[in-house]
Amino acid sequence: MLKLKKILADHGIEQAALADASGYSAPTMSQLLNHGFWPRSAKSRRLRDNIRGYLRMRGVAESLIAVAFEKETAPVQEGPDTNLSDEEPMSIPKQILHPNTRQHFGLVRDPFGEVSSAEEFYQNEHIRFTRAAMVDAARRGGFLAVVGESGSGKTTLRRDLQERIDREQLPIQVIRPYVVGMEANDVTGKTLKAAHILEAIMAEIAPHDPLRMSQNARFRQLETALRESYSAGQRCVVVIEEAHALPKPTLRHFKRFIELEDGFKRLLSVILVGQPELLTKVDPRDPTMREVVQRLEIIKLPPLGHYLEEYVAHRVEPLGVPVDKIITVDGLQAVRDRLQPPAPRGHEQRSYLYPLAVHNLMIAAMNLAAENGAPCVSADIVKEVTWAR
């Protein structure tokens, strides 16, 4: 730590004010004060002169200015961390890994980009169970909901299901009704109705059959087409993303879809993928949803929890860089602490430790480390990451 930090504290000068005066960000100035990391983009002599000039303007004595850039030997009492709020945001803004950051850490690409192959897909016991449940539901006519917070990996699981079906040549036809613009009511958008789902199924399994005029005739037509598809060895599964935007009447109609059967064989499977708002719509206390609740299997995607270190290593190490060259042990703990803050007394702890939030926080911390020339991400760097609200 530089003596400059104590000089600022003794004279009531805010670090942010010094950062603005010198033309650098508050986190960059914090790295300089706490660790002596000079920003790579700075001309060291020019930055020193700018800081000295600002100190003189604020009335700091020349004797103190002369030793401002020396290391402080005695510990300084830390004040409250002004970079952390009482409550971290649920959604950290999208972060981009800078080219200079990739070069700094020796990475050929962003390790926290979208999953592009089955090998990149991280699996722990929860993910493996969910994958197996989705395939089983698709095979046997199941009715399954996969529920998770934004960024918890729902879309990756849906893509993995399609990838696995194609890779293993499973006799399963995935049907995804068009959900762009879908809303829970017809005031803010368009609701997805049972008739739209029927049309999507028929377009996949019997594209050349003209749809009957009456609704009753159409559903009989659908049952006949599904029975023929099943007899030919092909299973059908309807997968609906953003299922939390489905209206309750459509959720109730899914019960009728899964009841289409041939003896003991169900002709259609349904997998819903959505955010936790879906759970409020399938509330067992709602008498209108009772029959849906009794038939719907729900899997909730948990936060990474104690899998954080394993997850980060899984994303980083295939690029040929050990995880400890990217982030320290205490840095990973700081990531956990920021995304899984302690709950106020009397409240349940809420964790934001999901893959997308981890990606954005890691990228922001890596950019900050590279900007300041730090060899890797430490706990201090993670704590100093800020973003616009």
Side-chain angles (χ1 to χ4, degrees):
M1 176 169 34
L2 299 184
K3 291 182 178 180
L4 176 59
K5 182 172 182 178
K6 188 174 187 302
I7 293 172
L8 296 179
D10 291 344
H11 288 76
I13 302 173
E14 295 182 354
Q15 294 182 25
L18 179 60
D20 289 340
S22 60
Y24 287 88
S25 67
T28 297
M29 187 57 62
S30 180
Q31 285 290 297
L32 172 60
L33 296 173
N34 290 314
H35 309 291
F37 290 144
W38 291 84
R40 286 185 168 181
S41 59
K43 297 289 186 182
S44 177
R45 183 173 178 178
R46 183 182 302 171
L47 179 55
R48 287 170 187 259
D49 289 343
N50 289 343
I51 293 174
R52 289 188 182 107
Y54 183 74
L55 294 178
R56 290 189 183 99
M57 185 185 72
R58 295 297 297 266
V60 178
E62 287 294 334
S63 59
L64 294 177
I65 295 175
V67 298
F69 302 109
E70 295 179 3
K71 292 287 184 70
E72 178 67 64
T73 55
V76 176
Q77 182 65 38
E78 294 284 348
D81 191 340
T82 57
N83 287 321
L84 296 179
S85 64
D86 292 335
E87 182 179 354
E88 290 288 349
M90 178 63 192
S91 299
I92 301 174
K94 172 69 175 176
Q95 304 292 312
I96 304 297
L97 194 70
H98 301 157
N100 289 343
T101 303
R102 288 168 43 199
Q103 184 176 3
H104 177 78
F105 288 104
L107 298 167
V108 295
R109 59 177 172 80
D110 181 358
F112 300 109
E114 286 195 2
V115 173
S116 59
S117 68
E119 291 73 24
E120 295 178 15
F121 183 37
Y122 170 75
Q123 298 181 53
N124 56 34
E125 58 179 325
H126 303 296
I127 298 299
R128 283 190 289 271
F129 172 78
T130 305
R131 291 180 74 237
M134 292 175 74
V135 172
D136 182 66
R139 281 172 164 159
R140 64 176 176 80
F143 187 21
L144 173 68
V146 177
V147 177
E149 296 283 0
S150 177
S152 60
K154 302 183 299 297
T155 298
T156 303
L157 279 163
R158 190 269 302 162
R159 291 172 178 165
D160 173 71
L161 175 65
Q162 182 70 69
E163 171 86 10
R164 184 174 177 183
I165 289 171
D166 295 342
R167 185 175 65 252
E168 299 180 10
Q169 298 183 329
L170 302 178
I172 300 172
Q173 178 71 46
V174 178
I175 301 161
R176 297 174 57 207
Y178 193 67
V179 297
V180 174
M182 180 180 70
E183 293 289 348
N185 58 69
D186 288 318
V187 176
T188 56
K190 293 294 184 181
T191 56
L192 185 68
K193 297 180 172 62
H196 302 145
I197 297 168
L198 181 151
E199 292 168 4
I201 298 171
M202 289 298 295
E204 290 290 342
I205 66 174
H208 304 298
D209 290 357
L211 292 175
R212 307 286 169 76
M213 294 299 294
S214 72
Q215 181 174 325
N216 185 57
R218 285 188 178 189
F219 273 93
R220 289 187 179 278
Q221 183 183 15
L222 172 66
E223 185 174 9
T224 298
L226 285 171
R227 186 174 288 112
E228 291 174 353
S229 177
Y230 194 98
S231 298
Q234 189 78 7
R235 307 292 181 263
C236 296
V237 56
V238 173
V239 178
I240 298 188
E241 289 190 87
E242 309 298 327
H244 51 276
L246 287 169
K248 285 187 176 182
T250 302
L251 287 168
R252 289 194 292 269
H253 292 156
F254 278 123
K255 170 182 173 292
R256 300 171 191 172
F257 277 108
I258 64 171
E259 286 177 346
L260 296 172
E261 55 191 26
D262 185 5
F264 287 106
K265 306 179 187 68
R266 285 188 176 177
L267 302 176
L268 186 68
S269 305
V270 175
I271 297 177
L272 308 177
V273 181
Q275 296 183 23
E277 291 84 348
L278 177 60
L279 300 178
T280 65
K281 295 185 177 181
V282 291
D283 189 337
R285 296 170 295 184
D286 184 348
T288 67
M289 301 299 292
R290 187 177 298 120
E291 290 187 330
V292 174
V293 173
Q294 291 173 346
R295 290 164 173 79
L296 179 64
E297 179 186 359
I298 298 174
I299 297 178
K300 301 177 186 177
L301 298 179
L304 287 168
H306 65 273
Y307 291 105
L308 172 64
E309 290 81 0
E310 180 180 288
Y311 177 77
V312 173
H314 174 85
R315 297 305 299 260
V316 169
E317 291 182 348
L319 277 65
V321 179
V323 70
D324 60 3
K325 299 298 183 183
I326 302 294
I327 186 168
T328 62
V329 173
D330 68 325
L332 283 166
Q333 184 58 47
V335 170
R336 176 179 283 106
D337 292 342
R338 284 200 75 165
L339 298 179
Q340 196 168 270
R345 182 176 298 177
H347 292 75
E348 184 179 354
Q349 184 183 42
R350 186 173 186 183
S351 175
Y352 307 140
L353 200 63
Y354 293 99
L356 186 57
V358 170
H359 295 178
N360 285 327
L361 181 52
M362 283 291 302
I363 290 171
M366 290 168 67
N367 284 337
L368 182 56
E371 179 185 349
N372 290 282
C376 61
V377 174
S378 66
D380 287 337
I381 290 175
V382 173
K383 292 174 184 178
E384 289 161 10
V385 168
T386 58
W387 41 75
R389 301 298 176 97

